[in-house]
Amino acid sequence: GQQVMQIPQYQHVQEGEDFTTYCNSSTTLSNIQWYKQRPGGHPVFLIQLVKSGEVKKQKRLTFQFGEAKKNSSLHITATQTTDVGTYFCVYSGAGSYQLTFGKGTKLSVIP
Amino acid sequence: NAGVMQNPRHLVRRRGQEARLRCSPMKGHSHVYWYRQLPEEGLKFMVYLQKENIIDESGMPKERFSAEFPKEGPSILRIQQVVRGDSAAYFCASSPQGGSDTEAFFGQGTRLTVV
């Protein structure tokens, strides 16, 4: 069956440092979404990637979808304390409407 | 346009009681997902519903749990005879269509505590 790994599980950075989280799939994904969940909050949609090799930017956040559509990454430049939270990649399996969440990467930013 | 509304935000139940969690999707959304999240863990899919239909309940325990999304009114996640292990945050999400082709909007969640 399809397996998607998200790494790292935890990341502690000094404020101002960069941060990257990765999602790697054993099979081709039709598309992938990224969500952020603040501590005590609910998941909030960030972006959707559809095309092979796609790169999208939102201010300090850069999202990439691999050429083979098997991996994706989220990169944050110069982290701020407001970036604290857990970042999830989300996908649907082939022929499924179910949204499956990766295990998430929990980001801590040390001021 | 109000967001996804879940109530109650916090619910305390004694073991053996029933818990009813409500979710009103965003206006115009006919697709509803329920997820469970244990502390420090990811979101686990439970059930996906469209109006009056359960499309995928593969993530829902076979016993004690049920979900519905009637023609009128909110979606309900019902847990009968709750046990301590049911304590978790339950999130509902809605979207205008199913799958990962469109953004899902999440409610604030219901934090269930079983004592």
Side-chain angles (χ1 to χ4, degrees), chain A residues 10 30-31 33 35 37 40-43 45 48 88 91-92 96-101 103 106, chain B residues 33 35 37 40 42-45 48 56 58 91 98-104 106-108 111:
Chain A
Y10 300 96
S30 57
N31 54 44
Q33 298 180 345
Y35 287 74
Q37 184 178 25
H42 60 282
F45 175 85
Q48 176 174 282
F88 295 97
Y91 59 94
S92 287
S96 170
Y97 289 107
Q98 177 187 137
L99 292 177
T100 302
F101 277 67
K103 290 191 181 296
K106 187 173 182 179
Chain B
Y33 301 82
Y35 289 84
Q37 185 176 38
E40 301 298 316
L43 280 79
K44 300 290 186 205
F45 168 81
Y48 162 54
D56 182 351
S58 58
F91 290 97
S100 61
D101 291 334
T102 186
E103 175 181 353
F106 280 79
Q108 305 265 25
R111 270 78 178 169

Side-chain angles (χ1 to χ4, degrees), chain A residues 29-34 45-57 62-66 69 71-74 90, chain B residues 100-101:
Chain A
L29 300 169
S30 57
N31 54 44
I32 195 163
Q33 298 180 345
W34 286 90
F45 175 85
L46 294 176
I47 204 88
Q48 176 174 282
L49 303 170
V50 179
K51 298 176 185 175
S52 168
E54 189 170 15
V55 178
K56 287 188 177 180
K57 293 193 175 186
T62 302
F63 304 84
Q64 291 190 326
F65 203 9
K69 300 181 74 172
N71 52 67
S72 181
S73 65
L74 157 59
V90 180
Chain B
S100 61
D101 291 334

Side-chain angles (χ1 to χ4, degrees), chain B residues 86-108:
Chain B
D86 297 332
S87 295
Y90 292 84
F91 290 97
C92 162
S94 76
S95 68
Q97 61 190 68
S100 61
D101 291 334
T102 186
E103 175 181 353
F105 295 81
F106 280 79
Q108 305 265 25

Side-chain angles (χ1 to χ4, degrees), chain A:
Chain A
Q2 183 172 51
Q3 292 188 12
V4 174
M5 299 292 293
Q6 188 172 356
I7 55 171
Q9 190 174 357
Y10 300 96
Q11 186 80 59
H12 306 276
V13 299
Q14 288 285 148
E15 189 172 17
E17 290 183 340
D18 292 356
F19 158 77
T20 305
T21 173
Y22 302 88
C23 263
N24 300 305
S25 173
S26 58
T27 58
T28 302
L29 300 169
S30 57
N31 54 44
I32 195 163
Q33 298 180 345
W34 286 90
Y35 287 74
K36 176 185 177 182
Q37 184 178 25
R38 287 204 163 98
H42 60 282
V44 175
F45 175 85
L46 294 176
I47 204 88
Q48 176 174 282
L49 303 170
V50 179
K51 298 176 185 175
S52 168
E54 189 170 15
V55 178
K56 287 188 177 180
K57 293 193 175 186
Q58 291 178 353
K59 298 182 180 177
R60 294 179 294 104
L61 277 61
T62 302
F63 304 84
Q64 291 190 326
F65 203 9
E67 292 290 341
K69 300 181 74 172
K70 285 187 174 183
N71 52 67
S72 181
S73 65
L74 157 59
H75 179 83
I76 303 178
T77 304
T79 54
Q80 300 175 359
T81 54
T82 53
D83 295 325
V84 164
T86 302
Y87 293 83
F88 295 97
C89 61
V90 180
Y91 59 94
S92 287
S96 170
Y97 289 107
Q98 177 187 137
L99 292 177
T100 302
F101 277 67
K103 290 191 181 296
T105 297
K106 187 173 182 179
L107 172 63
S108 300
V109 178
I110 305 162

